[in-house]
Amino acid sequence: NATGVVHMDQLNTKVRANSALFTHYLLAFPLCSPSRSTILTGRYPHNHRFVTNNDLKSSGFHPVQEEQTVNVWLHAAGYDTMLCGKYMNGYHADDASKAKHYVPPGWTDWFGFQTLHYFGSTVNVNGKSTKYPGDNYQTDIISNISLDWLTKRRGSARPFYACAACPEHVLCRICASCAGCRYRYIAP
């Protein structure tokens, strides 16, 4: 709502008070990868040609337009850049043997999810494939990595761009019947 999230006082006072609230917005394309490509390139899907979730390499986004994204431009201007979470479907390099080590251009720090399991995800941590324990929930992994990155930056004079990119399925519907589970999906 216009006053913030009622039960999150810290968010309202520390973030919302000095931020913009977008109450009306349009999505250029209602699919994951085309939408993410639009956010990163500033181009509509008909211009970056990524219009399905399955054609990363034929879309022209990887590797050509991947080098013309907001993180590349900001990194070149002296920003620290970080992505944590989902990037693109099939984001990895052309060679499958390099896939688990591939870091797209323009990221100072890269935490790209290689698997999208609710628990125990595998994450490309700056080129090193890292498997998280099976009891680590995906959204908690994204939150913890992102907060740790921001905390380490505290006091730095360098500007930054941080992208915490949760997959669309961040609510665990697998546990819907687990009444005591903190991740229990509650339909709106």
Side-chain angles (χ1 to χ4, degrees):
N1 67 32
T3 60
V5 181
V6 177
H7 60 282
M8 299 181 87
D9 294 331
Q10 294 292 319
L11 175 70
N12 294 331
T13 58
K14 294 183 177 183
V15 178
R16 282 288 313 285
N18 299 309
S19 302
L21 174 65
F22 297 97
T23 58
H24 182 75
Y25 59 91
L26 301 173
L27 188 62
F29 207 91
L31 283 177
C32 168
S33 292
S35 185
R36 291 171 194 272
S37 300
T38 295
I39 291 167
L40 291 173
T41 64
R43 297 181 180 116
Y44 286 106
H46 67 275
N47 290 326
H48 61 61
R49 300 184 323 272
F50 203 163
V51 295
T52 75
N53 276 332
N54 302 318
D55 67 351
L56 176 63
K57 293 182 182 55
S58 65
S59 70
F61 180 79
H62 171 81
V64 178
Q65 292 187 58
E66 192 171 51
E67 295 177 8
Q68 301 166 7
T69 54
V70 66
N71 54 291
V72 171
W73 302 322
L74 291 174
H75 189 261
Y79 281 66
D80 287 333
T81 57
M82 183 273 293
L83 178 130
C84 182
K86 184 176 179 184
Y87 182 55
M88 304 289 168
N89 292 346
Y91 78 85
H92 34 70
D94 295 328
D95 182 342
S97 66
K98 296 178 185 175
K100 63 183 178 181
H101 305 291
Y102 178 71
V103 177
W107 297 105
T108 308
D109 290 294
W110 175 259
F111 306 95
F113 275 53
Q114 297 172 311
T115 62
L116 298 177
H117 302 120
Y118 291 113
F119 293 92
S121 295
T122 302
V123 180
N124 176 337
V125 179
N126 292 320
K128 181 182 176 196
S129 189
T130 303
K131 171 82 169 118
Y132 280 79
D135 62 345
N136 284 210
Y137 186 57
Q138 182 186 89
T139 305
D140 290 340
I141 296 169
I142 294 170
S143 298
N144 292 337
I145 290 171
S146 299
L147 290 172
D148 184 55
W149 189 83
L150 290 168
T151 300
K152 287 178 181 174
R153 294 196 35 50
R154 188 173 290 158
S156 172
R158 289 177 59 94
F160 68 89
Y161 170 73
C163 180
C166 293
E168 299 76 36
H169 65 267
V170 294
L171 295 174
C172 179
R173 290 174 175 89
I174 294 172
C175 308
S177 62
C178 304
C181 179
R182 80 178 243 221
Y183 308 111
R184 184 172 163 247
Y185 174 71
I186 301 171

